[in-house]
Amino acid sequence: MAVPRVLLLLSGRPESVSFAQSVCGLLGSGPGLGPWPMHCSLKRGQLILSDRPFPEASARLPLQRPPFCPFAALAQQPMAPKAMLPVNRGVDLGVAVLLQSSDQTVLLTRRTPTLRISPNLWVPPGGHVEHEEEVSSSQLTQPVPHLPTCGTSGCGLGRGKQDSGSPALPSLTALFDSQLLDGGLRELWEESGLQLPKDQFSWVPLGLWESAYPPRLSWGFPKYHHIVLYLLVISQESQQQLQSVIKNSTPRRAHN
């Protein structure tokens, strides 16, 4: 079995999660919509989650899932046939970057209509994180399917609705190992052509999302299961400046 990417503190020690298990359910989140506050730690590419404080925890972030989460549905159907579910696999780790311009617009990229997984969806740049046993930094590969964002073709910045009731953001100190930020910025560059100078942006982790594809059990048994860490990256450049770079750049990789 591959190195587990998501671990849960359920009985005082980190335990891996099997592919078919609901992370939110195991953490006692219940049937509601959430979000639920979780204590988190990221070390050597492994995300550790607990609903209670623990010494190594470096952040407290909200965890949420959609109301139609297939893993929650499977938990309610113990007799459902699960032969089609992947075996010897755990829950994967992903990262998504919400890039905000200085005038408060947000970048989304559109997946091409010919894709087998989540075609035509508007999504933030991001991807699945691969574990590198010999290298200290993580590497992002394929995009994470069904990120909870939607919105025309290519990529562009648009103004989002502000929520004055949102909780205050965590401190901009190093809450996590910066390897996920580095990987997310690499995905941003490869998908949009944007390279952000280190002294011209700030960042903060926003929250965690339990993602599945297909996203509904009625569409078939899930083939992908991720916990996605959303990062807010705030650029000092305006929408016009960033859009100009995007228009004059050739992305290294389109969504595959």
Side-chain angles (χ1 to χ4, degrees), residues 54-138:
F54 59 99
E56 295 80 14
S58 53
R60 187 169 179 260
L61 295 175
L63 170 66
Q64 197 162 7
R65 65 184 176 192
F68 46 80
C69 174
F71 297 105
L74 284 170
Q76 301 299 317
Q77 304 176 29
M79 302 304 294
K82 300 180 176 65
M84 300 299 292
L85 291 172
V87 295
N88 297 324
R89 272 178 58 187
V91 178
D92 289 315
L93 180 61
V95 63
V97 173
L98 294 172
L99 175 64
Q100 179 177 293
S101 66
S102 61
D103 47 352
Q104 298 183 334
T105 62
V106 176
L107 174 71
L108 295 179
T109 62
R110 190 176 192 179
R111 291 170 60 77
T112 62
T114 57
L115 293 175
R116 180 174 54 89
I117 298 174
S118 303
N120 277 325
L121 282 185
W122 284 91
V123 296
H128 169 92
V129 181
E130 290 288 357
H131 184 74
E132 294 291 338
E133 295 184 358
E134 303 298 330
V135 184
S136 60
S137 63
S138 293

Side-chain angles (χ1 to χ4, degrees), residues 5-7 9 38-50 54-61 93 175-177 208:
R5 307 312 316 281
V6 177
L7 303 173
L9 277 177
M38 293 294 161
H39 299 268
C40 320
S41 171
L42 182 70
K43 290 186 177 181
R44 296 180 293 276
Q46 290 184 310
L47 179 67
I48 302 175
L49 298 175
S50 174
F54 59 99
E56 295 80 14
S58 53
R60 187 169 179 260
L61 295 175
L93 180 61
L175 298 180
F176 285 111
D177 190 311
L208 302 161

Side-chain angles (χ1 to χ4, degrees), residues 14 41 47 57 71 112 132 135 141 147 149 153 166 171 188 226 235:
S41 171
L47 179 67
F71 297 105
T112 62
E132 294 291 338
V135 184
T141 55
L147 293 174
T149 324
S153 179
S166 298
S171 168
L188 173 66
H226 289 81
S235 173

Side-chain angles (χ1 to χ4, degrees), residues 4-250:
R5 307 312 316 281
V6 177
L7 303 173
L8 306 184
L9 277 177
L10 299 176
S11 57
R13 59 184 179 84
E15 301 177 24
S16 60
V17 187
S18 71
F19 180 90
Q21 293 178 295
S22 165
V23 172
C24 291
L26 288 172
L27 289 169
S29 302
L33 297 179
W36 303 279
M38 293 294 161
H39 299 268
C40 320
S41 171
L42 182 70
K43 290 186 177 181
R44 296 180 293 276
Q46 290 184 310
L47 179 67
I48 302 175
L49 298 175
S50 174
D51 59 347
R52 300 179 181 182
F54 59 99
E56 295 80 14
S58 53
R60 187 169 179 260
L61 295 175
L63 170 66
Q64 197 162 7
R65 65 184 176 192
F68 46 80
C69 174
F71 297 105
L74 284 170
Q76 301 299 317
Q77 304 176 29
M79 302 304 294
K82 300 180 176 65
M84 300 299 292
L85 291 172
V87 295
N88 297 324
R89 272 178 58 187
V91 178
D92 289 315
L93 180 61
V95 63
V97 173
L98 294 172
L99 175 64
Q100 179 177 293
S101 66
S102 61
D103 47 352
Q104 298 183 334
T105 62
V106 176
L107 174 71
L108 295 179
T109 62
R110 190 176 192 179
R111 291 170 60 77
T112 62
T114 57
L115 293 175
R116 180 174 54 89
I117 298 174
S118 303
N120 277 325
L121 282 185
W122 284 91
V123 296
H128 169 92
V129 181
E130 290 288 357
H131 184 74
E132 294 291 338
E133 295 184 358
E134 303 298 330
V135 184
S136 60
S137 63
S138 293
Q139 180 181 5
L140 291 172
T141 55
Q142 74 266 25
V144 176
H146 200 67
L147 293 174
T149 324
C150 54
T152 79
S153 179
C155 55
L157 292 109
R159 187 173 302 279
K161 183 178 179 181
Q162 300 263 339
D163 182 3
S164 59
S166 298
L169 294 175
S171 168
L172 289 178
T173 55
L175 298 180
F176 285 111
D177 190 311
S178 63
Q179 57 184 321
L180 284 182
L181 173 66
D182 295 339
L185 292 178
R186 184 167 58 250
E187 286 289 298
L188 173 66
W189 170 50
E190 291 182 351
E191 294 179 21
S192 70
L194 287 171
Q195 289 183 283
L196 303 180
K198 289 187 176 181
D199 60 345
Q200 293 186 20
F201 72 90
S202 57
W203 70 282
V204 65
L206 285 181
L208 302 161
W209 179 263
E210 185 167 14
S211 168
Y213 190 87
R216 297 175 180 267
L217 195 55
S218 60
W219 295 11
F221 284 105
K223 299 178 181 178
Y224 298 92
H225 190 182
H226 289 81
I227 294 295
V228 183
L229 171 65
Y230 276 80
L231 303 177
L232 175 64
V233 176
I234 304 173
S235 173
Q236 294 180 12
E237 296 182 290
S238 67
Q239 174 190 5
Q240 184 176 7
Q241 291 172 308
L242 294 172
Q243 196 74 57
S244 176
V245 175
I246 292 172
K247 289 181 178 179
N248 293 316
S249 300
T250 302

